[in-house]
Amino acid sequence: MTHTSSSGTVRKGGTAKRNGRGLTGLLLVSAPVALLGWLIIYPIFNAVARTLFTAGDEGLHFSLDTYQRFFTDGYALNNLWLTLWVTAVCAACLMAICLPLALYLRFAKSRVAAVVQGLALFPMFVPSVILAYALIRTIGPNGGVDLVLNAVGLPKINSPYLTPWGPVIGLVWDNIPLTTLMLVAGLGGVSDNAVEAARDAGARRFALLRYIILPQIGNAMLVVLSFTVLGIFSAFTLPYVLGPASPEMMGPFMQRTFSQLSDSRMAVTQAVITFAICACFGAFYVRSIAKNREARR
Amino acid sequence: MAQLSLKNIGKSFDGTDVIRDVSLDVADGELVCLLGPSGSGKSTILRMVGGFETPDRGSILIDGQDVTLILPEKRPTGMVFQSHALWSHMSVADNVAFGLKLRRMPRREIQAKVADALGLVGLKDYGTRRVWQLSGGQQQRVAIARALVLEPKILLLDEPFASLDQHLREHLREELRDIQRRLGITTLFVTHGQDEALALADRIVVLQQGDLEQVASPDRMYRAPETRFVAGFIGSMNFLACDMRHGRADHPLFPVEAPVADGPVELAIRPEALTVAPARAPQAKVHRTTDYGSHLLVDIDLADGTRVKAMCPPSARFAAGDGVTLTADRVTLFRGQKKLAEVSPRPARELSHA
């Protein structure tokens, strides 16, 4: 008879279930799962149900009337397009600004990098309302920029305040820290040796970025894009304060429909449509991550 | 192939000298191992040759051409990293082909070269695999193939087998030695494993705190260390402190004679240079024996409390507490770091008469 022994991590004393740890685990996760169900899942289904069922003389009946009204209303569609446009432009600007910044922070060895990192993270600690006020005082009509231009005898700028570019500037400024942090974290997965090996093989800066760095931070970029899209799509303060009155972004639009028009069912419909678009981005992100993990198995 | 010359190179980080003043010539087709403890500067030298660090002083020449300030991507060197540094988003073949693609070679030529390189490291059928599907040893072979496919003048290896298990390490270093000999490529190999350096190198360079301690063949390095540091660092060595008086060591067991000025010295004796024999008068006692299969390593406590190691044939029979005699075939005398003399003492004497 042959006996084999192993120094591996064989668990003694039976399974987790038999030891009662299975129940402990379930109890530990039950609180957050219950909260998730109560505060997120239930409101979603509740909101969707409120938009699909309306109370009539014969009781509740199925109706798509609010969706029909939304998608046939030129003003509502303009608001949706503006939101999509602002989101796309912000995402592109954030990538264009934050990727070089993150690359610098990841690979720079100098002390200046620490200072740049501090400056890049500063907007994170500025509340949106203060930021909006600062931008109005700077780039708004008769703001700081205009005063400086006037002092040197130049004409005033065509202020982006109350145009679609107003929220774009504010949202980009507001999102730079988080986007940079996420990209730097993603770039942390690209080892110095991987970069050096590529340089050793003859790769210059552009080839390094294209063939080595970008493919390895694909997941991080997906996370960044998802967070940006989700955050900007549902933004309220900056679009409300800096954006145009018409068309307006979905956040202010929903709030106005709810409070000024007192049409809560329409406001919920706008929220559901916003949620559906955000959920598409979320599903795309989850699918991409799952696909990458599957490929690695 | 190519010659490599380091001329008085020096490097400092934050005001600390990591490399002081190192000069070294590596001949065409030679395999030189840089050996030293952590922080001795061996990897820094390799990285300077590869172009990843720039020396503060001195110059690096490859075939007489000064490459000190040339960027890594333009240097005729190929580097293999300890962590493999393979690109996980590429297949094995793409990893090897990357440098060739950057050089805009025709696709067929690239395929042929990649197949040759993978064949050279025994991974001919692994081209389509992803790198994470390979074992550690296979990944390191891919890294070697990736460096070799570009036909560098100098091959640089930075502790390439450090993350592998002992058996695989021995196997791979034999393969590497075969490949290096077959290609005749000038190679600089960094390791902190003395056995690896002794097994691989044509010459070993021992470094300590940024200085060259000794440059010699493995045989000379082991049998004729020039400094106390090298004697202790390469292989196992017994050091016995004593004084020289009138050309004779006052150590009770090894009163060697040598033309050395009076003063404190250390007698350095390899375990295999010691012969152990049973004795009736127990002035030295066996503390422990360890059977390594090919030999027996016996720890022996001397009367003054010093413990020495002796290598015995596996047939030897010693038990803890046995009284023994010791004789040494070869003794090296050091004062401080400096070697004073090498002597072959007289035949064995009974400890009881010492």
Side-chain angles (χ1 to χ4, degrees):
Chain A
M1 193 172 169
T2 308
H3 291 278
T4 55
S5 64
S6 166
S7 59
T9 54
V10 178
R11 282 187 177 181
K12 288 179 180 174
T15 63
K17 195 178 174 185
R18 232 183 292 160
N19 290 341
R21 278 181 290 168
L23 186 64
T24 313
L26 282 175
L27 280 172
L28 282 170
V29 298
S30 61
V33 167
L35 271 177
L36 185 79
W38 180 36
L39 297 177
I40 297 175
I41 307 293
Y42 169 71
I44 290 172
F45 281 101
N46 182 264
V48 173
R50 279 180 65 190
T51 62
L52 295 176
F53 296 95
T54 180
D57 296 337
E58 317 85 50
L60 279 178
H61 69 274
F62 181 77
S63 172
L64 290 172
D65 63 323
T66 50
Y67 290 97
Q68 197 177 11
R69 266 169 56 206
F70 183 92
F71 286 110
T72 53
D73 179 11
Y75 180 68
L77 288 176
N78 275 348
N79 290 346
L80 183 61
W81 284 123
L82 175 72
T83 310
L84 284 167
W85 181 85
V86 169
T87 305
V89 171
C90 282
C93 290
L94 280 169
M95 274 297 168
I97 294 167
C98 297
L99 187 60
L101 195 58
L103 285 167
Y104 172 73
L105 293 175
R106 165 66 184 82
F107 293 109
K109 309 281 184 201
S110 70
R111 289 183 183 141
V112 181
V115 179
V116 173
Q117 182 150 22
L119 288 173
L121 297 185
F122 176 66
M124 192 183 265
F125 305 103
V126 181
S128 298
V129 174
I130 306 288
L131 164 62
Y133 180 72
L135 284 175
I136 292 168
R137 297 298 303 147
T138 310
I139 56 173
N142 301 322
V145 175
D146 276 350
L147 291 177
V148 172
L149 291 174
N150 186 52
V152 294
L154 290 170
K156 290 179 177 180
I157 57 162
N158 194 6
S159 173
Y161 175 52
L162 302 182
T163 75
W165 288 103
V168 166
I169 293 169
L171 288 166
V172 166
W173 204 82
D174 202 31
N175 278 283
I176 280 175
L178 191 62
T179 309
T180 307
L181 274 181
M182 284 192 283
L183 285 174
V184 170
L187 284 166
V190 182
S191 71
D192 286 345
N193 278 351
V195 172
E196 286 173 350
R199 291 187 70 194
D200 196 50
R204 296 184 191 183
R205 287 179 182 213
F206 179 71
L208 262 180
L209 186 66
R210 185 179 166 194
Y211 298 115
I212 305 298
I213 295 172
L214 288 182
Q216 291 199 56
I217 61 165
N219 276 353
M221 287 172 74
L222 271 176
V223 172
V224 166
L225 280 174
S226 305
F227 272 70
T228 307
V229 167
L230 299 182
I232 292 172
F233 216 92
S234 54
F236 174 77
T237 310
L238 290 167
Y240 182 72
V241 181
L242 298 173
S246 172
E248 57 193 329
M249 282 180 68
M250 289 303 283
F253 183 39
M254 270 180 253
Q255 195 273 339
R256 208 170 48 74
T257 306
F258 183 80
S259 63
Q260 291 179 16
L261 304 179
S262 299
D263 188 351
S264 63
R265 193 155 165 267
M266 191 63 206
V268 174
T269 304
Q270 291 163 5
V272 169
I273 290 166
T274 303
F275 167 72
I277 293 170
C278 289
C280 285
F281 281 106
F284 172 70
Y285 159 68
V286 171
R287 187 172 160 270
S288 304
I289 299 287
K291 211 172 159 186
N292 282 348
R293 286 196 181 161
E294 191 65 32
R296 279 183 167 269
R297 276 182 194 167
Chain B
M1 280 292 164
Q3 283 182 314
L4 170 69
S5 294
L6 310 181
K7 305 272 186 208
N8 305 103
I9 59 167
K11 178 76 182 171
S12 304
F13 290 118
D14 296 326
T16 307
D17 279 347
V18 177
I19 302 296
R20 293 178 202 279
D21 182 22
V22 169
S23 295
L24 177 71
D25 288 311
V26 182
D28 188 13
E30 192 179 22
L31 195 158
V32 170
C33 274
L34 301 180
L35 180 65
S38 296
S40 58
K42 52 194 189 300
S43 286
T44 306
I45 291 179
L46 198 81
R47 289 174 62 77
M48 286 197 284
V49 176
F52 300 108
E53 303 287 354
T54 309
D56 297 333
R57 306 172 288 280
S59 54
I60 299 167
L61 290 89
I62 295 176
D63 275 345
Q65 188 202 346
D66 192 337
V67 298
T68 315
L69 299 175
I70 292 180
L71 294 171
E73 49 266 38
K74 293 179 182 170
R75 266 189 210 204
T77 53
M79 187 139 166
V80 178
F81 296 86
Q82 180 183 347
S83 61
H84 319 318
L86 298 177
W87 306 301
S88 55
H89 59 286
M90 295 184 192
S91 68
V92 168
D94 285 341
N95 264 274
V96 179
F98 180 69
L100 301 173
K101 284 178 183 168
L102 290 176
R103 285 160 179 73
R104 299 185 188 283
M105 279 191 177
R107 184 184 282 188
R108 285 199 175 171
E109 202 175 328
I110 290 175
Q111 285 172 344
K113 278 180 177 284
V114 169
D116 285 348
L118 288 176
L120 194 66
V121 295
L123 294 174
K124 197 155 196 165
D125 300 323
Y126 289 70
T128 54
R129 293 209 191 175
R130 313 299 292 190
V131 289
W132 69 77
Q133 294 174 314
L134 305 181
S135 66
Q138 288 169 332
Q139 287 187 18
Q140 199 53 280
R141 287 178 204 207
V142 176
I144 292 168
R146 184 177 65 182
L148 289 175
V149 78
L150 297 171
E151 296 171 9
K153 286 185 173 180
I154 312 285
L155 180 64
L156 308 170
L157 300 108
D158 190 2
E159 303 195 39
F161 309 136
S163 58
L164 307 177
D165 65 65
Q166 177 72 17
H167 182 72
L168 191 58
R169 198 156 59 214
E170 285 173 12
H171 181 66
L172 273 180
R173 78 179 175 221
E174 282 167 18
E175 280 190 10
L176 177 74
R177 189 59 170 139
D178 287 345
I179 292 169
Q180 191 268 339
R181 286 221 169 112
R182 215 180 314 154
L183 300 177
I185 187 168
T186 310
T187 303
L188 209 53
F189 188 109
V190 162
T191 180
H192 62 256
Q194 41 176 291
D195 55 339
E196 200 157 78
L198 291 168
L200 267 176
D202 293 317
R203 273 191 306 155
I204 296 174
V205 176
V206 174
L207 288 143
Q208 192 203 8
Q209 294 180 339
D211 278 324
L212 293 189
E213 280 282 322
Q214 188 174 348
V215 182
S217 67
D219 174 58
R220 292 282 306 159
M221 192 67 81
Y222 188 80
R223 291 184 177 81
E226 290 299 325
T227 66
R228 189 198 182 282
F229 173 78
V230 174
F233 188 72
I234 303 278
S236 185
M237 183 71 90
N238 298 301
F239 288 102
L240 302 169
C242 60
D243 283 313
M244 287 301 287
R245 283 177 196 158
H246 312 298
R248 187 183 176 94
D250 67 355
H251 196 278
L253 301 184
F254 307 103
V256 293
E257 291 177 358
V260 172
D262 287 0
V265 292
E266 280 188 295
L267 310 180
I269 309 168
R270 294 276 183 210
E272 64 271 24
L274 284 172
T275 305
V276 187
R280 275 163 291 168
Q283 286 188 347
K285 280 185 181 174
V286 173
H287 170 72
R288 177 177 56 205
T289 60
T290 311
D291 193 347
Y292 285 93
S294 59
H295 63 274
L296 204 67
L297 198 63
V298 186
D299 286 17
I300 298 163
D301 289 335
L302 306 187
D304 62 359
T306 312
R307 184 169 291 166
V308 297
K309 289 181 185 295
M311 197 181 285
C312 301
S315 56
R317 291 285 172 266
F318 294 106
D322 285 357
V324 289
T325 62
L326 290 173
T327 50
D329 295 341
R330 191 180 182 87
V331 179
T332 309
L333 283 78
F334 291 99
R335 181 169 289 153
Q337 282 297 317
K338 196 179 168 193
K339 183 165 102 174
L340 300 176
E342 278 179 20
V343 290
S344 297
R346 291 176 300 176
R349 292 170 307 108
E350 282 255 349
L351 282 176
S352 54
H353 300 289

